[in-house]
Amino acid sequence: MNEEALLARASEERERIFQRYERGRENLVGQIDPWEDPEFEDYHKTDRYGFIHDERLLHKTAPQKVNVEVEREKKWVKMLGSWDTPATREKLHRRIYKGIPNSLRIKIWCKLLNVNSMKSTNVGKYQEMLRLAKQWSTDVRQIDSDVNRQFREHQFYRERYSEKQCSLFNVLCAYSMYNSEVGYCQGMSGLAGVLLMYMDEEDAFWALAILLSDKKYAMHGLYVEGFPKLTRFLEHHDKILTKFMPKLKQHFDKFGLDAILYSLKWFFVCFVERVPFSLCLRVWDIYLLDGERVITAMAYTILKLHKKAIMKLNDMDLIVNYIQVKLHKDFGYEDDIVIHHLERSMDELKRAKIDYPGPPPPSELPQRQLGAFVEPDKKAKIGQRAENFSETEKQARATVILRREKAALELQELRVSQSDTVSDENAVPLHTSQASMNILNDIPFPSYTKTPPNYLIKDNTKIRRRKQ
């Protein structure tokens, strides 16, 4: 097939995908594959946040908690009416750490992110980006695939081509044109999906834009080629463990457990699908207020609260499953207790002057003008992978290798220092080789196939980036 034919095929595919979302569920009766559209069975239970469960929910909200939330809601409504006053600024920290009433999150999150200001200074920009995406976006196929997987246990996203699925598709496609350096990366569907649970389509788009570009959050560096911010935050996380929980760090190193294996969704999507959703929302509330320090402190808090249980696990897979799966289903602590410990962790790290990895370097911030159209090259339009790694990708790959080698060396030195002599017979074998190979296998190699390139990082799921 020649180049012109490939370009025409890619254009037809993009148009066909957009048309299905534009028509919506009601106009696609009989055209949705059964595997795309799970049934809503009678025994399912839906929690207060809209997530569907296959069994009876374990906990009901106690009447006293309902009364507390009603009273808290009244205070928040009053505070919203005087948002920019000194009295509100004085109360804001304490109130947010106590928890934002779920019914008011849409308003409070928009206030914390300053969404209305961003929207009013960019009138018509979202619609423009969406129009450009319909004509030019090279990420449509991957976005369509991820929309069909994201939050399928939530009532908003369960039905194929539902209103919120269509909104999620539109937001991600529009953003892929707005930020041409990032385009689309898989973790972004989790961020946008949560925002759309509380916001309308355009507000969610601008909230996503602020999370990536505002220096307070600077998530651009997590999704841009090479994932520079992820590397920097993983190194900072290791520094915290080495200083405050050296035995746990040694335990991880003993079984070849690099932080990248268990913490990816902590950093990429702010703990979505790694802690219960009610707790995740509380962390998001605080993150939108206080920024990046919250992520590093929450990562530390999770391991601190569960250190004893983790230390009893003598297998890398068991540890990863405990941190990623078990804690998502049952964290073992009430949300209020966790937030109390989070606040203490932030203070502890601040006193040690290790609460903040530092401001983002230029490589983690947008270099191109946001919202300026950049026409994709022919390879991107066709969906053809780059034949070779970029220098940024090579450096990211080398960094992962060095992290594993450094951990293995530090563990070996520790063992030598703990024994006068270490013989081959008595030495405990290092369990790092296979873990190192697992990570290396998940770093992409050049491919000549005409499918979107995968830039992979181990986390039971793949993080996909499209080459621009």
Side-chain angles (χ1 to χ4, degrees):
M1 191 176 288
N2 62 34
E3 193 174 82
E4 291 304 315
L6 289 171
L7 287 170
R9 186 177 69 176
S11 178
E12 288 169 6
E13 180 187 39
R14 180 173 58 250
E15 184 178 357
R16 185 169 62 252
I17 292 171
F18 261 101
Q19 284 177 352
R20 290 176 74 85
Y21 283 96
E22 288 172 346
R23 290 173 66 188
R25 181 177 180 81
E26 292 180 358
N27 297 312
L28 291 170
V29 176
Q31 300 178 47
I32 300 173
D33 292 334
W35 67 267
E36 287 191 290
D37 208 12
E39 295 178 0
F40 190 100
E41 298 169 350
D42 291 338
Y43 64 84
H44 282 140
K45 306 291 181 181
T46 305
D47 65 24
R48 65 181 299 203
Y49 302 106
F51 283 91
I52 300 162
H53 302 263
D54 283 342
E55 56 191 36
R56 188 179 301 280
L57 298 178
L58 298 176
H59 303 290
K60 275 191 171 183
T61 306
Q64 58 268 29
K65 280 195 172 183
V66 173
N67 293 335
V68 168
E69 184 149 338
V70 169
E71 290 302 314
R72 192 172 288 166
E73 204 170 296
K74 292 177 182 177
K75 293 177 181 178
W76 272 101
V77 169
K78 184 178 179 181
M79 199 162 71
L80 276 168
S82 56
W83 185 259
D84 295 318
T85 64
T88 295
R89 287 194 291 271
E90 185 181 334
K91 296 174 183 175
L92 195 58
H93 179 277
R94 177 168 49 84
R95 292 259 173 95
I96 285 180
Y97 275 75
K98 284 185 175 181
I100 298 173
N102 198 50
S103 61
L104 295 176
R105 272 200 171 91
I106 179 174
K107 295 181 179 179
I108 307 300
W109 282 10
C110 284
K111 290 279 190 184
L112 291 172
L113 289 168
N114 209 15
V115 167
N116 289 336
S117 175
M118 187 77 160
K119 191 164 63 169
S120 64
T121 56
N122 291 276
V123 175
K125 177 61 73 172
Y126 172 64
Q127 290 74 19
E128 177 191 348
M129 293 297 104
L130 192 55
R131 284 195 299 272
L132 286 170
K134 291 176 184 178
Q135 184 176 358
W136 298 104
S137 178
T138 59
D139 296 304
V140 170
R141 183 199 302 166
Q142 188 61 60
I143 291 171
D144 174 50
S145 177
D146 289 346
V147 165
N148 194 27
R149 290 194 291 256
Q150 189 65 52
F151 295 130
R152 291 308 296 273
E153 72 280 16
H154 193 282
Q155 60 184 0
F156 284 172
Y157 301 103
R158 188 169 180 82
E159 294 182 331
R160 193 66 172 115
Y161 303 108
S162 63
E163 181 181 351
K164 285 294 185 179
Q165 269 207 5
C166 294
S167 291
L168 181 57
F169 176 81
N170 289 341
V171 166
L172 295 173
C173 287
Y175 193 81
S176 73
M177 302 306 297
Y178 180 76
N179 186 340
S180 59
E181 287 178 84
V182 169
Y184 170 73
C185 183
Q186 188 181 18
M188 292 163 60
S189 63
L191 286 183
V194 172
L195 293 170
L196 281 164
M197 291 179 193
Y198 293 94
M199 300 178 185
D200 65 26
E201 192 173 299
E202 186 172 358
D203 284 353
F205 170 83
W206 289 115
L208 181 66
I210 291 163
L211 287 173
L212 266 75
S213 61
D214 192 297
K215 288 185 179 181
K216 184 175 182 179
Y217 315 104
M219 297 187 79
H220 177 93
L222 289 171
Y223 299 116
V224 77
E225 182 183 278
F227 310 107
K229 183 173 179 177
L230 176 65
T231 301
R232 190 165 61 91
F233 269 59
L234 287 170
E235 290 172 354
H236 185 75
H237 177 69
D238 283 348
K239 192 183 298 183
I240 291 172
L241 291 191
T242 301
K243 182 175 180 63
F244 291 104
M245 291 187 287
K247 289 184 179 179
L248 184 64
K249 180 67 167 66
Q250 292 165 21
H251 187 67
F252 286 166
D253 290 344
K254 177 181 177 182
F255 296 103
L257 182 57
D258 191 284
I260 201 172
L261 294 173
Y262 62 80
S263 66
L264 196 61
K265 281 197 172 183
W266 292 358
F267 299 114
F268 261 79
V269 285
C270 303
F271 305 94
V272 170
E273 296 178 333
R274 287 295 175 263
V275 299
F277 193 68
S278 61
L279 176 58
C280 183
L281 288 173
R282 295 285 297 276
V283 175
W284 272 56
D285 294 343
I286 299 167
Y287 174 60
L288 298 186
L289 175 70
D290 287 336
E292 296 176 321
R293 290 174 172 83
V294 177
I295 303 300
T296 53
M298 184 61 186
Y300 170 49
T301 301
I302 290 173
L303 297 180
K304 185 167 63 171
L305 288 174
H306 296 281
K307 177 183 174 182
K308 288 183 179 179
I310 293 170
M311 291 291 289
K312 294 176 182 177
L313 302 174
N314 294 315
D315 178 83
M316 184 178 72
D317 291 336
L318 290 176
I319 297 170
V320 171
N321 186 72
Y322 182 90
I323 294 173
Q324 290 190 348
V325 180
K326 193 270 179 187
L327 296 184
H328 179 217
K329 293 179 179 177
D330 180 9
F331 197 78
Y333 293 87
E334 293 287 335
D335 294 352
D336 287 340
I337 293 172
V338 179
I339 298 303
H340 171 71
H341 281 278
L342 171 60
E343 195 167 12
R344 288 179 60 184
S345 294
M346 292 178 72
D347 291 338
E348 182 182 4
L349 296 175
K350 187 174 182 179
R351 286 195 301 271
K353 298 181 179 179
I354 198 173
D355 61 317
Y356 184 43
S363 63
E364 294 180 16
L365 298 173
Q367 302 298 305
R368 300 177 193 164
Q369 182 183 348
L370 296 170
F373 172 62
V374 177
E375 183 175 342
D377 60 28
K378 286 187 178 180
K379 283 187 176 181
K381 289 177 184 176
I382 294 170
Q384 188 173 5
R385 292 188 185 189
E387 295 181 1
N388 299 298
F389 282 145
S390 68
E391 289 303 314
T392 305
E393 289 170 329
K394 289 176 183 177
Q395 183 59 46
R397 183 175 183 272
T399 300
V400 174
I401 298 170
L402 288 173
R403 282 174 57 81
R404 297 310 311 134
E405 291 177 348
K406 181 182 177 183
L409 181 61
E410 287 175 351
L411 183 60
Q412 187 63 48
E413 289 175 349
L414 176 68
R415 286 173 176 164
V416 170
S417 69
Q418 290 176 341
S419 174
D420 292 332
T421 58
V422 180
S423 67
D424 291 340
E425 294 81 5
N426 297 327
V428 179
L430 289 173
H431 297 273
T432 55
S433 299
Q434 189 57 50
S436 298
M437 289 306 299
N438 287 343
I439 295 174
L440 293 179
N441 288 340
D442 283 338
I443 299 173
F445 288 86
S447 173
Y448 299 89
T449 59
K450 294 172 182 176
T451 55
N454 289 344
Y455 197 77
L456 309 181
I457 295 181
K458 183 81 171 181
D459 187 34
N460 293 342
T461 57
K462 297 177 180 178
I463 297 297
R464 298 177 176 85
R465 285 200 77 262
R466 287 293 302 268
K467 287 288 292 183
Q468 293 299 315

